[in-house]
Each structure stands twice: as structure tokens, then as C-alpha cells.
Amino acid sequence: MNEIFKRISVRKFEDKPVEQEKIEQNMKAAMAAPSAGNQQPWEYYVVRDRETIEKLAKCSPYSGCAAKAPVVIVPCLKTEGLHFPELGEIDLAITTENILLEITSLGLGGVWLAVTPFEDRMEKADAALGIGDKLHAFALVPVGYPAEDRPQQDRYDETRIHYIG
């Protein structure tokens, strides 16, 4: 699982489309995520439409980098029919991490741009996608071929590990 140690936040992309088979592989990886009680509270929007991407890029003060991405994946949280609704956002965090790791393994790059829990961002993203009240945008993940290359920052800090026994 080398992708864990290679994944970086990519905000600049080459002007090159992402192949459909890579998107499909990414969606398979996203849906392989564990979820509480196997509730799978997710749906995904794969956005290639430039007008919609422009709207999504204005959802938060930090989402401007999405404007130049060839694809923006938007994991969304279902709000009805969940056995454990209080754990839905955790499930969405896990699926979003799977997306980031899989795009790394496919030679792509991306970044997690928070939408949830910020009401104003959620409203803007939901409006951009035209989704109703039974589904809410969780995050934006701009995806493309990286226009930058750098090593991952080493975050290992043994002082944060506490052994008992």
C-alpha cells in the first residue's frame, strides 16, 4: 500500500483528460470503503462539465483550484434510510480517503476540499449539482494528471505513540 506514503495534495493539473476507465476504477475503490453496519451512505457525482466545475470551484475560499481540474468527484451523503445516521460523515471520510489513495495508484493527483460541515459550502455545492434534500455534498475532490511533483511530507512522530503493555 505504497500510495499511503506517496499521496500528496495536488492543486495544479495538466490540461489532459482523465480516462473513463480510471474514473470507473476509482469509483470501485471508493465503494470498497467500509461503512457502519454496511449502510453505504454514499453517492458520487463525477463532474466534467466546465460550467458546473466553475460553480463548484466557488463553494469555499479554498476550492478555487478545482476550476482547472479536468474532473471533480463529489462524494455525497445520503440523508435517509441510514441505520446509523450519526456515523454517515465518518463513512464519507473513509470513502474520500479511498478516492485519494486510488487516484495516486492510477498516476493521478487530487486534493480533499472540505464541504461538510459548513452549511454555506454545502448549499453552494448542492445547488451547483442540482441535488435535493435527500443528498448533500460532503467534499470536492478535483482530479487530474499532476502538473507538480514533490515528495510527501514525513509526518511520522514517535512522541505521539503511547504503548500500554
Side-chain angles (χ1 to χ4, degrees), residues 52-92:
T52 305
I53 288 175
E54 289 291 333
K55 289 177 185 176
L56 291 170
K58 295 176 183 170
C59 286
S60 89
Y62 310 102
S63 58
C65 63
K68 300 287 185 183
V71 176
V72 177
I73 297 173
V74 186
C76 295
L77 174 65
K78 295 182 348 187
T79 60
E80 291 186 344
L82 302 179
H83 302 295
F84 304 102
E86 62 280 357
L87 299 175
E89 290 179 10
I90 294 170
D91 293 347
L92 265 289

Side-chain angles (χ1 to χ4, degrees), residues 60-150:
S60 89
Y62 310 102
S63 58
C65 63
K68 300 287 185 183
V71 176
V72 177
I73 297 173
V74 186
C76 295
L77 174 65
K78 295 182 348 187
T79 60
E80 291 186 344
L82 302 179
H83 302 295
F84 304 102
E86 62 280 357
L87 299 175
E89 290 179 10
I90 294 170
D91 293 347
L92 265 289
I94 298 167
T95 194
T96 303
E97 178 69 2
N98 276 19
I99 290 169
L100 292 167
L101 292 173
E102 185 63 14
I103 63 177
T104 300
S105 79
L106 295 170
L108 301 168
V111 62
W112 180 329
L113 302 171
V115 174
T116 298
F118 305 101
E119 290 292 330
D120 62 324
R121 296 179 194 181
M122 292 167 64
E123 288 172 10
K124 290 176 185 174
D126 291 355
L129 298 171
I131 56 179
D133 61 350
K134 295 180 183 177
L135 199 61
H136 292 292
F138 176 76
L140 307 179
V141 184
V143 177
Y145 285 92
E148 55 187 348
D149 186 26
R150 65 183 189 284

